Amino acid sequence: AAKSNGRGRWAFFDASMEEQVRARESLARELRQAIDRDQLSLVYQPQTSINGRKVLAVEALVRWNHPVRGPLSPGAFIPIAEETGLINDLGMWVLKRACEDAAKWPHLKLSVNVSPIQFRHPQFIERLSSILGMTRLNPHRLEVEVTESVFSNKDRTVLETLQKVHEMGVRVALDDFGAGYSSLSYLRQFPFDTLKIDRGFIAGLESSPHATAILGTIINLGEALGMSVVAEGIETEQQAAFLRLTKCDRLQGFYLSRPVPADEIRDVEHRLAQLDQLQSVSRRFG
Ligand code: C2E
Ligand code: MG
Ligand code: MG
Ligand code: MG
């Protein structure tokens, strides 16, 4: 319908808003089908020992091979999945596939990202334990990663669910630590097993002396609280070298390995082990 001159811009604005809403709706519909039609896949990013030699764990990261748009990363569809509630089915698909894949690496731990919305689902615990039973994954090998947004509404059930996850023997990691506004206070609310330092602190290392002090302090804090500390977003040898001087427990980032399909984990393990041999050769003779 035509609108008066004065409202022409608004009519245009309305149309593009409407388009956006439609685009999101169709993406949500397609995502529903993608879950059912096996268009989702997982890649795994290794977490290594502090010297980069040994893979200790892998983090599962979801990908969507969209039939028209090609591969989509989680940033493009996780928010929509959360808004529409699809995250529950998507998240269970991820957990099940990852726990199945983990049978290929009995010597490695497995990290899986879990959305706060999933923790609020009344059947989450039941479904998680059924997946552990079905895949026969030892709960101690599994770690769930939650971000600070898990505390964003004052819902006690999320904390209770985290507690139950703990009691099952599954470890709980606080992801992207320091990216939010009141990160420190969250450490008092739940006894996290693992602290994953936001990659912003690693990225800042080269440019600011303060970043070095802050990063070192966060690592000491995690250590003092008895947590495993993981530094993510390691992109350079320099960053890895700095972390080697700290009490950080695990390294994760493109410098060590990009996320790879399940069947490439073995190759990455070999490459990292060999890399170390080369490094020690050059240390001895170089
Ligand atoms: P995250 O859990 O913090 O995962 C790490 C992200 O950083 C991954 O992005 C990874 O590819 C990227 N990354 C790893 N190393 C480096 C590096 O050295 N430099 C840089 N610049 N980036 C690096 P990805 O796969 O796009 O995932 C983004 C976020 O989406 C994840 O952040 C996580 O919050 C969420 N996500 C991924 N998979 C799932 C899932 O299965 N379920 C849920 N609920 N969320 C997921
Ligand atoms: Mg994560
Ligand atoms: Mg993270
Ligand atoms: Mg994250």
Side-chain angles (χ1 to χ4, degrees), residues 242-259:
F242 172 79
L243 285 153
R244 253 173 241 137
L245 304 174
T246 71
K247 288 175 170 167
C248 185
D249 298 286
R250 289 180 250 164
L251 304 185
Q252 181 178 352
F254 295 162
Y255 173 70
L256 297 138
S257 171
R258 299 216 161 230

Side-chain angles (χ1 to χ4, degrees), residues 108-154:
L108 302 181
K109 297 231 158 87
L110 170 69
S111 273
V112 178
N113 294 285
V114 176
S115 157
I117 300 190
Q118 288 182 264
F119 282 105
R120 282 186 209 113
H121 193 283
Q123 259 120 52
F124 177 74
I125 290 294
E126 202 177 299
R127 291 181 180 174
L128 173 62
S129 61
S130 117
I131 287 172
L132 288 170
M134 254 186 316
T135 59
R136 299 178 179 222
L137 184 79
N138 181 338
H140 294 102
R141 286 183 57 206
L142 181 62
E143 180 161 84
V144 296
E145 295 190 3
V146 300
T147 58
E148 296 166 351
S149 66
V150 81
F151 298 110
S152 64
N153 78 8
K154 298 216 156 50

Side-chain angles (χ1 to χ4, degrees), residues 35-70:
I35 299 169
D36 299 335
R37 294 179 187 173
D38 228 35
Q39 287 169 4
L40 298 181
S41 60
L42 293 183
V43 286
Y44 295 90
Q45 188 172 35
Q47 295 176 354
T48 71
S49 56
I50 195 73
N51 58 15
R53 226 185 272 178
K54 202 167 184 264
V55 178
L56 302 174
V58 291
E59 178 178 7
L61 297 161
V62 68
R63 298 290 181 264
W64 179 5
N65 309 308
H66 190 282
V68 178
R69 297 181 210 210

